[in-house]
Amino acid sequence: MQEQTKTPFVTLDQLQNITKQYPTPFHLYDEKGIRQTARDLKAAFAWNPGFKEYFAVKATPTPVILKLLREEGCGVDCSSLTELILSDKCSFEGHEIMFSSNETPAEDYRLAAKLGAVINLDDFTHIDFLKETIGYIPETISCRFNPGGVFRLGESNEGFQVMDNPGDSKYGFTREQLFEGFKKLKAMGAKHFGIHAFLASNTLSNDYYPALAGILFELAAELERETGCDIAFINLSGGVGIPYRPGQAKNDIFAIGEGVHREFERVLVPAGMGDVAIFTELGRYMLGPNGCLVTKVLHFKHTYKEYVGLDACAANLMRPAMYGAYHHITVMGKEDRPCDHVYDVVGGLCENNDKFAIDRELPEIEIGDLLVIHDSGAHGFSMGYNYNGKLRSAELLLREDGSVKLIRRAETPEDYFATMVFEP
Ligand SMILES: *Cc1c(COP(=O)(O)O)cnc(C)c1O
């Protein structure tokens, strides 16, 4: 269903209560929404007994959120040493951890191996690097595939529904390297293999995963035939998107699950590979809409344009500044007023790209208004930084019973100074 507005998962009343205890800005997450998203995903892939979602930690590296996802049966996808440590601290064990990194330092591989994580190699040369680093090749190993070229889907008059450029991306093995790599890994002791690929980001299409699955399933059947390697799992990685703009249609995860099922029946079952497990590494889809940035209007400025100045800035949410990404804004309590004003909604960084919205039609805003910036639950807080000495905000969880829990305190100046050396 399409709608022209977006409804926050929190009300003005609730926010007024929350801000009595926790000052703005902060990121707020919706426990109910997170659990429901995880349950729907699991149900959509229930036809595959080995299915598992490995939540992409980089999207929201927050312990309470990771633990909540673990309760819903999810594993984690890590890309660095600290994400591995975080996952270990959150009680993820062994094959509940996927390690998909690139340009990997030796110590990261050492910890991944020690934790018993599934290692997903990004490059052919990492086969020998891993062997040299940890002394052996794990029995279960995965390789990331990059088919090159341009990936296109769903052509219409408005262009392609999905278009991305794997040939330009730094990740993964070529097809030839993958065949050679599997043979080499098998000779070095690997017994169970996985294939991973990430071809397009933030796709708003129920066809992306099925199309990717079709490519990977055919590749898997060929790989098994030609190399004799046992393919244990196929990892569709991330890339299922969310509608950041009102009016955009949501992905239907059940249609996506069914689409992958169809490809599974078409390719893998006839190849005698009906026992292959399907993995996903969704980040944005799991958390994006289940988090928002709550911020207050500090100032107004009228020069050549009309500016609304917030207590949040791009250091709290950098997607608009970095990619020109759209994030919907709700002026709390003014949902029913006409959007008859045009504003640039800006933060206080000394960077002119610190704009959450440019020429956005909104209701008349007053100083002190609370704004909800939608869909900040993934790649929001986590991309935060300290430019201009700005401090990272708190993260709060709106529990299913309506109460609020602080799940990360805001940074203080002491945190900012903690790494500095003052002695000349
Ligand atoms: C970023 C990333 C993901 C998650 O991507 P989303 O777009 O958030 O779904 C999954 N796997 C890998 C390897 C990634 O780098």
mmCIF file of all heavy atoms in Angstrom, residues 351-373:
data_model
loop_
_atom_site.group_PDB
_atom_site.id
_atom_site.type_symbol
_atom_site.label_atom_id
_atom_site.label_comp_id
_atom_site.label_asym_id
_atom_site.label_seq_id
_atom_site.Cartn_x
_atom_site.Cartn_y
_atom_site.Cartn_z
ATOM 1 N N GLU A 351 30.099 22.424 7.858
ATOM 2 C CA GLU A 351 30.109 21.752 6.564
ATOM 3 C C GLU A 351 28.766 22.069 5.942
ATOM 4 O O GLU A 351 27.728 21.778 6.554
ATOM 5 C CB GLU A 351 30.175 20.224 6.757
ATOM 6 C CG GLU A 351 31.540 19.637 6.955
ATOM 7 C CD GLU A 351 32.377 19.633 5.686
ATOM 8 O OE1 GLU A 351 31.797 19.791 4.585
ATOM 9 O OE2 GLU A 351 33.601 19.496 5.811
ATOM 10 N N ASN A 352 28.768 22.623 4.764
ATOM 11 C CA ASN A 352 27.479 23.028 4.191
ATOM 12 C C ASN A 352 26.628 21.848 3.742
ATOM 13 O O ASN A 352 25.463 22.020 3.396
ATOM 14 C CB ASN A 352 27.688 24.019 3.047
ATOM 15 C CG ASN A 352 26.407 24.771 2.737
ATOM 16 O OD1 ASN A 352 25.684 25.168 3.661
ATOM 17 N ND2 ASN A 352 26.087 24.922 1.471
ATOM 18 N N ASN A 353 27.211 20.639 3.729
ATOM 19 C CA ASN A 353 26.368 19.485 3.393
ATOM 20 C C ASN A 353 25.641 18.932 4.625
ATOM 21 O O ASN A 353 24.956 17.919 4.540
ATOM 22 C CB ASN A 353 27.165 18.380 2.689
ATOM 23 C CG ASN A 353 28.214 17.771 3.592
ATOM 24 O OD1 ASN A 353 28.406 18.213 4.727
ATOM 25 N ND2 ASN A 353 28.906 16.764 3.101
ATOM 26 N N ASP A 354 25.787 19.603 5.766
ATOM 27 C CA ASP A 354 25.098 19.132 6.981
ATOM 28 C C ASP A 354 23.637 19.558 6.930
ATOM 29 O O ASP A 354 23.195 20.451 7.656
ATOM 30 C CB ASP A 354 25.801 19.685 8.224
ATOM 31 C CG ASP A 354 25.203 19.120 9.510
ATOM 32 O OD1 ASP A 354 24.415 18.154 9.415
ATOM 33 O OD2 ASP A 354 25.528 19.637 10.590
ATOM 34 N N LYS A 355 22.895 18.905 6.021
ATOM 35 C CA LYS A 355 21.478 19.221 5.836
ATOM 36 C C LYS A 355 20.686 17.925 5.826
ATOM 37 O O LYS A 355 20.922 17.061 4.971
ATOM 38 C CB LYS A 355 21.279 19.962 4.512
ATOM 39 C CG LYS A 355 22.007 21.299 4.478
ATOM 40 C CD LYS A 355 21.728 22.080 3.206
ATOM 41 C CE LYS A 355 22.409 23.461 3.297
ATOM 42 N NZ LYS A 355 22.157 24.292 2.133
ATOM 43 N N PHE A 356 19.771 17.804 6.761
ATOM 44 C CA PHE A 356 18.913 16.614 6.782
ATOM 45 C C PHE A 356 17.884 16.677 5.664
ATOM 46 O O PHE A 356 17.373 15.658 5.220
ATOM 47 C CB PHE A 356 18.209 16.482 8.131
ATOM 48 C CG PHE A 356 19.133 16.110 9.243
ATOM 49 C CD1 PHE A 356 19.503 17.035 10.209
ATOM 50 C CD2 PHE A 356 19.651 14.826 9.326
ATOM 51 C CE1 PHE A 356 20.360 16.690 11.243
ATOM 52 C CE2 PHE A 356 20.504 14.463 10.351
ATOM 53 C CZ PHE A 356 20.865 15.405 11.310
ATOM 54 N N ALA A 357 17.545 17.885 5.240
ATOM 55 C CA ALA A 357 16.572 18.042 4.168
ATOM 56 C C ALA A 357 16.818 19.379 3.498
ATOM 57 O O ALA A 357 17.175 20.359 4.154
ATOM 58 C CB ALA A 357 15.156 17.981 4.727
ATOM 59 N N ILE A 358 16.625 19.396 2.195
ATOM 60 C CA ILE A 358 16.783 20.629 1.414
ATOM 61 C C ILE A 358 15.459 20.935 0.727
ATOM 62 O O ILE A 358 14.864 20.040 0.115
ATOM 63 C CB ILE A 358 17.916 20.454 0.375
ATOM 64 C CG1 ILE A 358 19.251 20.238 1.112
ATOM 65 C CG2 ILE A 358 17.997 21.676 -0.549
ATOM 66 C CD1 ILE A 358 20.403 19.855 0.211
ATOM 67 N N ASP A 359 14.979 22.157 0.872
ATOM 68 C CA ASP A 359 13.706 22.568 0.257
ATOM 69 C C ASP A 359 12.579 21.592 0.585
ATOM 70 O O ASP A 359 11.830 21.191 -0.301
ATOM 71 C CB ASP A 359 13.851 22.690 -1.276
ATOM 72 C CG ASP A 359 14.857 23.768 -1.670
ATOM 73 O OD1 ASP A 359 14.998 24.734 -0.895
ATOM 74 O OD2 ASP A 359 15.488 23.627 -2.731
ATOM 75 N N ARG A 360 12.478 21.214 1.839
ATOM 76 C CA ARG A 360 11.455 20.242 2.241
ATOM 77 C C ARG A 360 10.184 20.984 2.623
ATOM 78 O O ARG A 360 10.221 21.973 3.370
ATOM 79 C CB ARG A 360 11.960 19.431 3.446
ATOM 80 C CG ARG A 360 11.049 18.309 3.931
ATOM 81 C CD ARG A 360 11.040 17.085 3.051
ATOM 82 N NE ARG A 360 12.341 16.474 2.842
ATOM 83 C CZ ARG A 360 12.863 15.519 3.617
ATOM 84 N NH1 ARG A 360 12.208 15.075 4.659
ATOM 85 N NH2 ARG A 360 14.042 15.006 3.317
ATOM 86 N N GLU A 361 9.059 20.508 2.101
ATOM 87 C CA GLU A 361 7.760 21.073 2.465
ATOM 88 C C GLU A 361 7.315 20.494 3.798
ATOM 89 O O GLU A 361 7.161 19.284 3.933
ATOM 90 C CB GLU A 361 6.730 20.758 1.367
ATOM 91 C CG GLU A 361 7.012 21.522 0.090
ATOM 92 C CD GLU A 361 6.042 21.189 -1.034
ATOM 93 O OE1 GLU A 361 5.087 20.429 -0.797
ATOM 94 O OE2 GLU A 361 6.264 21.701 -2.144
ATOM 95 N N LEU A 362 7.146 21.376 4.766
ATOM 96 C CA LEU A 362 6.795 20.951 6.123
ATOM 97 C C LEU A 362 5.776 21.927 6.699
ATOM 98 O O LEU A 362 5.646 23.050 6.208
ATOM 99 C CB LEU A 362 8.059 20.952 7.004
ATOM 100 C CG LEU A 362 9.105 19.876 6.708
ATOM 101 C CD1 LEU A 362 10.420 20.202 7.393
ATOM 102 C CD2 LEU A 362 8.613 18.497 7.130
ATOM 103 N N PRO A 363 5.082 21.525 7.757
ATOM 104 C CA PRO A 363 4.214 22.492 8.434
ATOM 105 C C PRO A 363 5.074 23.573 9.098
ATOM 106 O O PRO A 363 6.271 23.376 9.294
ATOM 107 C CB PRO A 363 3.484 21.652 9.489
ATOM 108 C CG PRO A 363 4.244 20.387 9.617
ATOM 109 C CD PRO A 363 5.013 20.176 8.358
ATOM 110 N N GLU A 364 4.469 24.672 9.444
ATOM 111 C CA GLU A 364 5.223 25.750 10.086
ATOM 112 C C GLU A 364 5.880 25.230 11.359
ATOM 113 O O GLU A 364 5.235 24.635 12.218
ATOM 114 C CB GLU A 364 4.305 26.925 10.417
ATOM 115 C CG GLU A 364 5.089 28.078 11.005
ATOM 116 C CD GLU A 364 4.267 29.356 11.125
ATOM 117 O OE1 GLU A 364 3.019 29.268 11.107
ATOM 118 O OE2 GLU A 364 4.882 30.422 11.242
ATOM 119 N N ILE A 365 7.193 25.459 11.464
ATOM 120 C CA ILE A 365 7.955 24.919 12.586
ATOM 121 C C ILE A 365 8.244 26.028 13.583
ATOM 122 O O ILE A 365 8.500 27.176 13.199
ATOM 123 C CB ILE A 365 9.270 24.281 12.076
ATOM 124 C CG1 ILE A 365 8.940 23.024 11.242
ATOM 125 C CG2 ILE A 365 10.190 23.924 13.224
ATOM 126 C CD1 ILE A 365 10.151 22.336 10.665
ATOM 127 N N GLU A 366 8.188 25.666 14.871
ATOM 128 C CA GLU A 366 8.548 26.639 15.907
ATOM 129 C C GLU A 366 9.743 26.133 16.704
ATOM 130 O O GLU A 366 9.969 24.912 16.784
ATOM 131 C CB GLU A 366 7.361 26.840 16.867
ATOM 132 C CG GLU A 366 6.207 27.592 16.232
ATOM 133 C CD GLU A 366 4.887 27.181 16.849
ATOM 134 O OE1 GLU A 366 4.338 26.146 16.440
ATOM 135 O OE2 GLU A 366 4.418 27.898 17.752
ATOM 136 N N ILE A 367 10.470 27.049 17.311
ATOM 137 C CA ILE A 367 11.590 26.668 18.169
ATOM 138 C C ILE A 367 11.056 25.787 19.289
ATOM 139 O O ILE A 367 10.008 26.069 19.866
ATOM 140 C CB ILE A 367 12.303 27.923 18.709
ATOM 141 C CG1 ILE A 367 13.044 28.599 17.553
ATOM 142 C CG2 ILE A 367 13.264 27.578 19.843
ATOM 143 C CD1 ILE A 367 13.709 29.908 17.893
ATOM 144 N N GLY A 368 11.776 24.685 19.544
ATOM 145 C CA GLY A 368 11.341 23.757 20.589
ATOM 146 C C GLY A 368 10.554 22.571 20.050
ATOM 147 O O GLY A 368 10.337 21.598 20.771
ATOM 148 N N ASP A 369 10.117 22.632 18.790
ATOM 149 C CA ASP A 369 9.398 21.485 18.214
ATOM 150 C C ASP A 369 10.285 20.249 18.229
ATOM 151 O O ASP A 369 11.499 20.332 18.000
ATOM 152 C CB ASP A 369 8.998 21.769 16.756
ATOM 153 C CG ASP A 369 7.705 22.577 16.664
ATOM 154 O OD1 ASP A 369 7.002 22.695 17.688
ATOM 155 O OD2 ASP A 369 7.410 23.097 15.561
ATOM 156 N N LEU A 370 9.640 19.108 18.471
ATOM 157 C CA LEU A 370 10.353 17.832 18.386
ATOM 158 C C LEU A 370 10.176 17.266 16.986
ATOM 159 O O LEU A 370 9.053 17.180 16.481
ATOM 160 C CB LEU A 370 9.789 16.841 19.404
ATOM 161 C CG LEU A 370 10.221 17.036 20.854
ATOM 162 C CD1 LEU A 370 9.418 16.133 21.776
ATOM 163 C CD2 LEU A 370 11.721 16.757 21.009
ATOM 164 N N LEU A 371 11.289 16.885 16.373
ATOM 165 C CA LEU A 371 11.250 16.294 15.039
ATOM 166 C C LEU A 371 11.666 14.831 15.119
ATOM 167 O O LEU A 371 12.607 14.486 15.842
ATOM 168 C CB LEU A 371 12.218 17.037 14.101
ATOM 169 C CG LEU A 371 11.661 18.189 13.262
ATOM 170 C CD1 LEU A 371 10.854 19.165 14.105
ATOM 171 C CD2 LEU A 371 12.772 18.903 12.518
ATOM 172 N N VAL A 372 10.960 14.009 14.373
ATOM 173 C CA VAL A 372 11.379 12.620 14.209
ATOM 174 C C VAL A 372 11.944 12.480 12.797
ATOM 175 O O VAL A 372 11.256 12.783 11.813
ATOM 176 C CB VAL A 372 10.192 11.654 14.429
ATOM 177 C CG1 VAL A 372 10.466 10.302 13.784
ATOM 178 C CG2 VAL A 372 9.931 11.469 15.920
ATOM 179 N N ILE A 373 13.204 12.085 12.719
ATOM 180 C CA ILE A 373 13.810 11.801 11.417
ATOM 181 C C ILE A 373 13.758 10.286 11.254
ATOM 182 O O ILE A 373 14.356 9.542 12.041
ATOM 183 C CB ILE A 373 15.248 12.347 11.337
ATOM 184 C CG1 ILE A 373 15.212 13.866 11.605
ATOM 185 C CG2 ILE A 373 15.870 12.032 9.988
ATOM 186 C CD1 ILE A 373 16.537 14.566 11.504
#
